[in-house]
Amino acid sequence: MEENFNPVARTRANYYTPGSPVQFVCVELLKGDVSGEHAVCLTFKNISKVTLTALEIHFKCKGVDGVILCEDRFEYRDLEVKPGELFGMDDAVFVTAKAITSVDVSLCNVYNGKRVVHLDGIKRVRLPAPKRLSAELEKALETRMNRPELKYQPQVFENGWYCACGAFHPKEEDTVYCSECGCDRILLQNALNTLLQPEQPAQTEPELETPLAPQAEEPTRIMGAAPVQEEPTRIMGAPCREAEPQPEEPAAEQTRVMDAGMRAQFPSRASHAAADEGTRVMPAAARRAQPISQQPEPAYDDEEEYEDERDSVAEALIRWVPPITAIVCAAVALCGFVYYQFVL
């Protein structure tokens, strides 16, 4: 005769097996509606990246007085459990009429086709108890996440993390989504942090807006930008020299050589100028036309030699052009006289 079993109690596992591709999730106690007997069903989850085909476990059920009611091995065969799926909740491992207070489960072997992983030697790790939320915070979190049964505070540990629904996800599962309630761990934590923060007063918003303008301009402002741009081309002391009128150099004026125009007006001084060739300097007008900042000292000798060559050519022209011109004029006049006297 078939009998229906209704859920009576459900308890999550408070330990897990590190490095195992499958984890024990919870134990559920069912009661038959006809016989009144209790059936023990265990739930497991595949946290690996492959499909599991079989699982062998060892379980131990205890009664109210701590007496072991049953201790045996159980095998789940002909499975095809995909990664992230739950299994085992439809198979009863033990049926008894006595009340059961605790169930201890140990993982023995898990199969992926012909490959087997032995878990007998792995020591189980006890999990910290999840923290229960207050009734008001629980209701607010369920409303914000639009999901029921979010009774616990989400927590992150070194070996995994707790979801608000109470499910534990070991680090081997490597996921931020709860496989039972579907919550995102990051969104869940942000929602809870928002609910835990006190409400900000309305007048704080204008205060935050006030310093934004100078803060936004501060990274792009350069202190003393104008002097920095002029520094590479600035000559120290040059502005003072340009602002003040430069006194004429009397020594240079006394030894200045007359230019070509003045020599033409005073031909008698040409020979005297040639005698003073060794004391000749650059004309004062040419020196004033050239800025002080553009007179590199190493170039003085070269410029003086260049001026010497130019002045020597000019002196030669001044010396020989007048006699040649006089001779040419005399020849032209003589030819004209002869032409008028003898030809006409």
Side-chain angles (χ1 to χ4, degrees):
M1 180 180 65
E2 294 183 358
E3 184 177 7
N4 295 327
F5 285 82
N6 301 316
V8 175
R10 185 174 184 269
T11 304
R12 291 188 176 275
N14 58 352
Y15 53 87
Y16 86 106
T17 305
S20 173
V22 62
Q23 293 294 338
F24 173 44
V25 176
C26 66
V27 56
E28 193 172 14
L29 188 63
L30 307 177
K31 185 177 182 179
D33 55 2
V34 176
S35 62
E37 293 181 333
H38 295 88
V40 178
C41 295
L42 307 177
T43 301
F44 301 90
K45 180 169 61 174
N46 180 9
I47 62 172
S48 67
K49 304 298 181 181
V50 298
T51 301
L52 302 182
T53 57
L55 175 65
E56 297 177 358
I57 65 168
H58 178 273
F59 71 94
K60 185 186 302 182
C61 297
K62 296 182 178 180
V64 178
D65 51 0
V67 177
I68 298 177
L69 301 178
C70 177
E71 183 177 1
D72 199 1
R73 294 175 67 94
F74 191 87
E75 298 179 358
Y76 297 89
R77 297 293 181 184
D78 300 327
L79 301 176
E80 191 175 352
V81 183
K82 304 294 182 182
E85 292 183 350
L86 302 175
F87 67 97
M89 68 286 292
D90 297 331
D91 296 329
V93 297
F94 177 61
V95 178
T96 179
K98 297 182 179 181
I100 299 176
T101 58
S102 64
V103 178
D104 184 22
V105 178
S106 300
L107 305 178
C108 299
N109 301 306
V110 60
Y111 296 86
N112 172 27
K114 295 182 179 181
R115 299 180 59 184
V116 58
V117 179
H118 302 285
L119 306 174
D120 304 79
I122 299 178
K123 184 179 181 181
R124 296 175 297 176
V125 176
R126 183 170 295 277
L127 298 174
K131 298 180 180 180
R132 186 68 182 265
L133 296 174
S134 63
E136 296 180 357
L137 194 57
E138 175 185 343
K139 184 177 181 180
L141 184 61
E142 291 176 354
T143 303
R144 181 175 290 270
M145 297 300 297
N146 195 22
R147 284 181 173 82
E149 300 297 326
L150 301 182
K151 302 179 180 180
Y152 304 95
Q153 178 179 347
Q155 296 174 274
V156 179
F157 303 99
E158 182 180 358
N159 51 9
W161 60 281
Y162 265 125
C163 181
C165 66
F168 179 78
H169 301 273
K171 63 181 181 180
E172 290 83 2
E173 192 172 359
D174 191 20
T175 180
V176 295
Y177 297 97
C178 180
S179 57
E180 297 189 31
C181 68
C183 285
D184 184 301
R185 185 191 70 188
I186 300 176
L187 296 180
L188 184 64
Q189 188 65 52
N190 292 341
L192 183 60
N193 293 340
T194 303
L195 295 174
L196 292 176
Q197 290 178 356
E199 295 183 0
Q200 299 293 336
Q203 62 271 16
T204 58
E205 186 173 357
E207 294 178 1
L208 292 176
E209 293 178 356
T210 303
L212 287 181
Q215 290 178 359
E217 296 175 359
E218 187 64 23
T220 58
R221 181 163 57 88
I222 300 175
M223 299 300 294
V228 172
Q229 294 177 358
E230 295 178 358
E231 188 65 26
T233 58
R234 182 165 57 88
I235 299 176
M236 299 303 294
C240 296
R241 296 177 184 173
E242 293 177 0
E244 297 179 0
Q246 298 179 1
E248 297 183 358
E249 301 176 4
E253 289 296 335
Q254 294 176 2
T255 59
R256 185 181 59 185
V257 179
M258 294 182 295
D259 55 5
M262 296 185 65
R263 289 180 180 179
Q265 296 177 7
F266 303 97
S268 61
R269 297 186 180 181
S271 59
H272 179 72
D276 295 337
E277 186 71 25
T279 59
R280 185 184 70 255
V281 295
M282 183 185 299
R287 286 201 308 273
R288 295 192 188 96
Q290 185 175 7
I292 297 177
S293 60
Q294 298 180 2
Q295 296 180 10
E297 294 184 1
Y300 282 160
D301 297 338
D302 297 339
E303 292 180 359
E304 188 171 358
E305 293 178 0
Y306 174 78
E307 294 295 337
D308 291 344
E309 296 176 0
R310 185 183 64 182
D311 292 345
S312 61
V313 173
E315 291 176 1
L317 292 176
I318 294 173
R319 180 179 301 174
W320 295 107
V321 167
I324 294 175
T325 303
I327 294 173
V328 172
C329 291
V332 172
L334 179 61
C335 292
F337 176 76
V338 173
Y339 179 77
Y340 282 103
Q341 291 294 329
F342 298 100
V343 177
L344 298 179

